[in-house]
Amino acid sequence: MNKILLVNRVNTSDNSKIKKRIFFLLGGMNLPTIENKLIDTINNSGLIDDYDDILYKYNGVEVNMPIQSIPKLIKLLTNENISIYSVYEIYNPDL
C-alpha cells in the first residue's frame, strides 16, 4: 500500500481571500453522531458561504477556504470535541 501523501506548504502569512483546498483529518467519522455534529458545526460556522466548498470524506472533511479561516474552524471543531489529527493543504502543483 502506498503511504505517500503530497501536500502544499501552508503560508500562515497569506491574508488573501483566495480559497485553498484544506483537508482536516478527523477522528470518529465512522460514528453518525460525530458526522452529524461536524456537518452542523460547519454549516452554522458562518465561515463557508457555499456548500459546494465542502466535501465530506470517510476520514475527515475537505473545505475550500482562505488560509486565515483555518484556526477559526479548528477552534469550532475542538469546542465540539471533534478530534483533529492533522490539517493540510491538498497538493496542487502550479503548472
Side-chain angles (χ1 to χ4, degrees), residues 38-89:
L38 173 65
I39 292 168
D40 291 341
T41 301
I42 291 176
N43 288 344
N44 296 327
S45 70
L47 296 173
I48 311 303
D49 55 357
D50 186 357
Y51 292 119
D52 290 335
D53 286 339
I54 306 167
L55 179 60
Y56 297 99
K57 298 185 175 188
Y58 74 97
N59 61 346
V61 63
E62 183 180 312
V63 183
N64 287 332
M65 62 191 310
I67 296 295
Q68 295 304 316
S69 295
I70 294 172
K72 296 172 189 170
L73 187 54
I74 289 173
K75 183 175 182 178
L76 290 172
L77 296 177
T78 55
N79 286 343
E80 292 296 326
N81 294 320
I82 297 174
S83 301
I84 303 170
Y85 288 91
S86 66
V87 178
Y88 55 85
E89 182 181 347

Side-chain angles (χ1 to χ4, degrees), residues 2-16:
N2 192 350
K3 295 185 180 189
I4 296 173
L5 178 65
L6 297 175
V7 297
N8 283 340
R9 194 174 290 169
V10 174
N11 179 2
T12 58
S13 62
D14 180 357
N15 291 319
S16 71

